[in-house]
Amino acid sequence: MIDETKIKKAVRMIIEAIGENPDREGLLQTPDRIARMYKEVFKGLNQDPEKHLSKMFTLESDDIVLEKDIIFYSMCEHHFLPFYGKAHIAYISSGKVVGLSKLARTVEVFAKRPQLQERMTRQIADAIFKYLNAKGVMVIVEAEHMCMTMRGIKKPGSKTVTAVTLGTFNGDPKLIDQVYSMINMGK
């Protein structure tokens, strides 16, 4: 559970530590705002992807299902700065499919945690592979990291791309190329 009282105290201390007055009009409500924001942006810590992936429908098919351009916002665990971008999820069913919104909800479960993009990509793929009992899963995540944009190296516009393949996608370049082609359709 997120302890809003502790967050408010910590934010007040940070405000003081940077040499500002936490009682100044513009900063007075900042600890409350940040506590509410953290409750929202870290809500995935208390969620299980199985909840979203357990409602399935029978569909005997070996076709690729692709949900692309799923927008997400996450928080880098190293600097507590946002990273954001798009996730693309492809899977081949074992006779069961899930509602498309459930794939986006699964992305949200993992994005709404202090996170590493590499871990998030793997967690999404593993959850879909496990709970859908999919024959194969491919997840691609592309994101811009504010820790590289507004501080440190300061390279706005640079994107990090991560990909995970499981099951039938492993070792099948034609299948992987087909997913990339589907992602780029209409662009």
Side-chain angles (χ1 to χ4, degrees):
M1 267 315 178
I2 291 177
D3 187 335
E4 289 184 67
T5 302
K6 277 187 178 179
I7 294 170
K8 290 175 193 178
K9 287 179 185 176
V11 170
R12 186 173 171 86
M13 288 174 59
I14 290 170
I15 292 169
E16 290 172 349
I18 64 168
E20 262 288 3
N21 176 4
D23 295 318
R24 183 168 63 77
E25 181 183 16
L27 293 172
L28 198 56
Q29 297 303 314
T30 298
D32 292 327
R33 286 186 202 100
I34 291 177
R36 288 192 313 271
M37 177 191 67
Y38 277 7
K39 188 174 182 180
E40 179 182 339
V41 300
F42 295 128
K43 70 182 181 183
L45 287 167
N46 301 312
Q47 294 179 346
D48 186 340
E50 184 178 15
K51 172 187 172 191
H52 303 296
L53 297 172
S54 61
K55 176 72 171 157
M56 292 179 270
F57 308 96
T58 301
L59 179 68
E60 294 299 327
S61 169
D62 281 349
D63 298 326
I64 295 172
V65 175
L66 171 67
E67 180 76 12
K68 68 180 194 172
D69 297 334
I70 303 167
I71 304 294
F72 72 89
Y73 300 89
S74 191
M75 198 72 92
C76 164
E77 69 182 35
H78 295 150
H79 301 98
F80 266 41
L81 287 172
F83 68 95
Y84 55 91
K86 297 176 183 178
H88 314 285
I89 300 171
Y91 72 95
I92 298 173
S93 82
S94 292
K96 298 284 186 182
V97 294
V98 68
L100 296 177
S101 70
K102 305 308 183 191
L103 297 175
R105 291 182 194 284
T106 300
V107 171
E108 285 295 295
V109 166
F110 295 113
K112 298 294 184 188
R113 300 175 178 187
Q115 199 51 283
L116 295 175
Q117 180 177 333
E118 299 88 342
R119 180 188 314 117
M120 184 179 87
T121 307
R122 170 61 66 176
Q123 288 172 328
I124 294 165
D126 286 344
I128 292 165
F129 195 66
K130 175 182 177 181
Y131 295 118
L132 295 186
N133 193 28
K135 291 179 183 176
V137 175
M138 184 170 173
V139 176
I140 302 110
V141 174
E142 51 185 293
E144 184 168 347
H145 293 250
M146 294 305 290
C147 57
M148 282 188 54
T149 297
M150 66 181 287
R151 58 153 306 280
I153 193 75
K154 295 183 182 87
K155 296 296 178 198
S158 62
K159 295 218 169 115
T160 301
V161 178
T162 50
V164 171
T165 58
L166 300 172
T168 56
F169 285 100
N170 276 341
D172 191 337
K174 286 183 181 180
L175 206 51
I176 291 169
D177 287 346
Q178 185 178 354
V179 170
Y180 282 120
S181 177
M182 292 169 71
I183 290 169
N184 290 315
M185 286 173 53
K187 290 187 178 180

